[in-house]
């Protein structure tokens, strides 16, 4: 083998290995099951891509709390591929396979808003949970104020306590009525 062909062989081998290594992909949700927190997704960067099936959906969560996002068919999501086999962690034991950055170890980590459909962000400095058009929203601003906007607001509780210096409804002071 000549030096040129050896260099070419190594270069082609490295390029082929890199092409088979997945780090992160923008995908479209094909099917989602919010009961099992899994989705089938299609990578958008490759017209010949095959769907990645049963991708776990990652959420912001702790042992006691979860922030659930209800993904739907057609949503654009960011999918990362783990450096190592996730099966032993996800299924609770067993031997890890020797694969790295495989689509078999993909995780949906969040939605992606494309530049082709920008959101007119009314609250760039606040924490917001709401619809994309902001017609329904919960906003926490830097001053610690909480605002809720909704067509209907329902509270279900065993006990409701209102505490404040001034409590108003539609501009009418209710403070004395509640005390």
């Amino acid at each position: 083998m000549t030096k040129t062909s050896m260099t070419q062989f190594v270069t082609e081998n490295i390029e082929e290995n890199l092409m088979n290594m997945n780090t992160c992909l923008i995908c479209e949700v094909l099917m989602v099951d919010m009961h099992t927190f899994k989705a089938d997704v299609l990578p958008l960067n490759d017209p010949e891509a095959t769907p990645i099936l049963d991708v776990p959906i990652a959420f912001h969560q702790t042992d006691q709390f979860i922030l659930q996002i209800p993904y739907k068919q057609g949503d654009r999501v960011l999918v990362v591929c783990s450096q190592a086999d996730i099966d032993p962690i996800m299924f609770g034991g067993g031997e890890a396979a020797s694969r790295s950055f495989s689509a078999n170890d993909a995780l949906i980590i969040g939605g992606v808003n494309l530049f082709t459909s920008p959101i007119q962000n009314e609250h760039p400095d606040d924490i917001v949970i709401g619809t994309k058009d902001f017609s329904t929203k919960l906003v926490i601003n830097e001053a610690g104020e909480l605002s809720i906007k909704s067509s209907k607001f329902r509270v279900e509780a065993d006990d409701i306590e209102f505490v404040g210096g001034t409590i108003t409804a539609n501009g009418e002071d209710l403070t004395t009525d509640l005390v």
Side-chain angles (χ1 to χ4, degrees), residues 85 87-89 91-97:
D85 177 8
D87 289 348
I89 296 168
F91 296 108
E95 291 283 322

Side-chain angles (χ1 to χ4, degrees), residues 8-113:
Q8 183 179 359
F9 171 77
V10 170
T11 301
E12 288 173 0
N13 197 333
I14 290 172
E15 286 175 7
E16 183 179 332
N17 283 327
L18 288 175
M19 289 302 292
N20 291 325
M21 184 169 69
N22 298 292
T23 53
C24 69
L25 307 157
I26 295 177
C27 298
E28 179 178 338
V29 174
L30 300 175
M31 187 282 308
V32 64
D33 183 341
M34 290 303 296
H35 298 286
T36 60
F37 299 117
K38 291 184 196 175
D40 296 345
V41 298
L42 181 66
L44 296 176
N45 62 320
D46 181 0
E48 297 177 15
T50 57
I52 305 171
L53 307 177
D54 293 329
V55 179
I57 298 171
F59 293 102
H60 290 289
Q61 63 178 323
T62 64
D63 283 342
Q64 295 178 331
F65 299 98
I66 184 170
L67 178 58
Q68 175 182 302
I69 306 299
Y71 292 106
K72 304 282 185 223
Q73 181 179 357
D75 284 345
R76 303 303 201 269
V77 292
L78 183 62
V79 174
V80 298
C81 297
S82 178
Q83 181 179 349
D85 177 8
I86 64 171
D87 289 348
I89 296 168
M90 297 299 290
F91 296 108
E95 291 283 322
S98 61
R99 62 183 183 251
S100 293
F101 300 106
S102 168
N104 293 326
D105 301 307
L107 295 159
I108 295 171
I109 62 166
V112 177
N113 197 68

